[in-house]
Amino acid sequence: MGIYSTMMEAVTEATGLSPTAFFTILAMMVVVYKIVCGMFLGPEDFRQKPQKEPIQVGDITESELRAYDGSDPKKPLLIAIKGQIYDVSSSKVFYGCGGAYSMFTGRDASRALAMLSFKPEDLTGNLEGLSAEELSVLEDWECKFLDKYPIVGRVVQPSNTSQNGDGLHIHHNDTNGHQQQQTKDD
């Protein structure tokens, strides 16, 4: 009984409250804390959400990349930098429809990122004419994307087809980037 009495006297001396008042206030503070925290965060907010495996798109053309601009909610959000395609779906707030950087989605945004530009004419993978400083800025962006987003493919040039008098000539790049030619006779 000595410990209980000592504790009650210590509570009274430290707070100036009776032990009953002190523990009633303490219990009310815990209840209020739980209520307020419950208004903002639930237990599910603390659980790790399993990350979806990114969909590998492989080699696609710039025009095919445009289909991944956020207009179809079933497709991932993709952005290309220097021909590498990144899945930025984990940052829908920024890259999804209405996001601050949504104009980059579904495009090779290399030039715009290098120039820190939001101009539509700069949304291209063309790096010609960029200064060393702009190329350095682009390298920084590329490092940030490599750290944060998975690479899911690369942008390739579309296959060229031309009609010749003796048949259809189809030009395409093989896996090593060398141009191949096939002829299909009618």
Side-chain angles (χ1 to χ4, degrees):
M1 198 73 154
I3 295 175
Y4 177 77
S5 299
T6 305
M7 290 290 290
M8 294 304 121
E9 287 176 16
V11 166
T12 303
E13 285 180 31
T15 63
L17 299 172
S18 71
T20 306
F22 173 77
F23 287 110
T24 302
I25 292 171
L26 183 65
M28 290 176 62
M29 288 174 57
V30 169
V31 168
V32 168
Y33 173 79
K34 290 282 191 180
I35 290 171
V36 170
C37 285
M39 292 168 54
F40 300 104
L41 300 174
E44 65 277 355
D45 293 328
F46 294 103
R47 287 190 211 120
Q48 286 276 344
K49 295 178 182 170
Q51 293 202 357
K52 289 182 180 179
E53 188 68 28
I55 297 171
Q56 296 294 319
V57 294
D59 294 348
I60 60 175
T61 64
E62 282 193 66
S63 62
E64 292 169 326
L65 178 61
R66 296 232 170 111
Y68 298 92
D69 64 354
S71 58
D72 183 349
K74 294 178 182 152
K75 290 185 179 179
L77 300 173
L78 303 181
I79 293 179
I81 298 176
K82 292 172 56 177
Q84 293 287 335
I85 301 172
Y86 298 88
D87 184 343
V88 296
S89 300
S90 61
S91 296
K92 285 184 181 176
V93 172
F94 299 109
Y95 298 106
C97 288
Y101 304 112
S102 62
M103 66 185 301
F104 298 142
T105 311
R107 305 277 196 126
D108 187 327
S110 300
R111 185 175 198 83
L113 291 171
M115 298 174 67
L116 302 174
S117 170
F118 286 93
K119 295 177 183 174
E121 62 267 19
D122 292 331
L123 285 171
T124 177
N126 182 0
L127 303 179
E128 290 180 32
L130 294 178
S131 69
E133 185 178 325
E134 290 168 330
L135 290 172
S136 176
V137 169
L138 181 59
E139 289 293 324
D140 289 344
W141 276 110
E142 187 175 24
C143 287
K144 288 174 188 172
F145 272 67
L146 280 169
D147 287 343
K148 191 168 183 179
Y149 305 113
I151 295 174
V152 296
R154 64 184 181 141
V155 176
V156 295
Q157 296 300 316
S159 297
N160 297 326
T161 61
S162 61
Q163 182 69 38
N164 195 342
D166 57 346
L168 179 66
H169 298 281
I170 301 174
H171 304 276
H172 67 279
N173 293 335
D174 65 12
T175 56
N176 296 322
H178 299 98
Q179 195 169 62
Q180 300 287 317
Q181 180 175 343
Q182 292 177 324
T183 304
K184 293 185 180 178
D185 293 323
D186 292 343

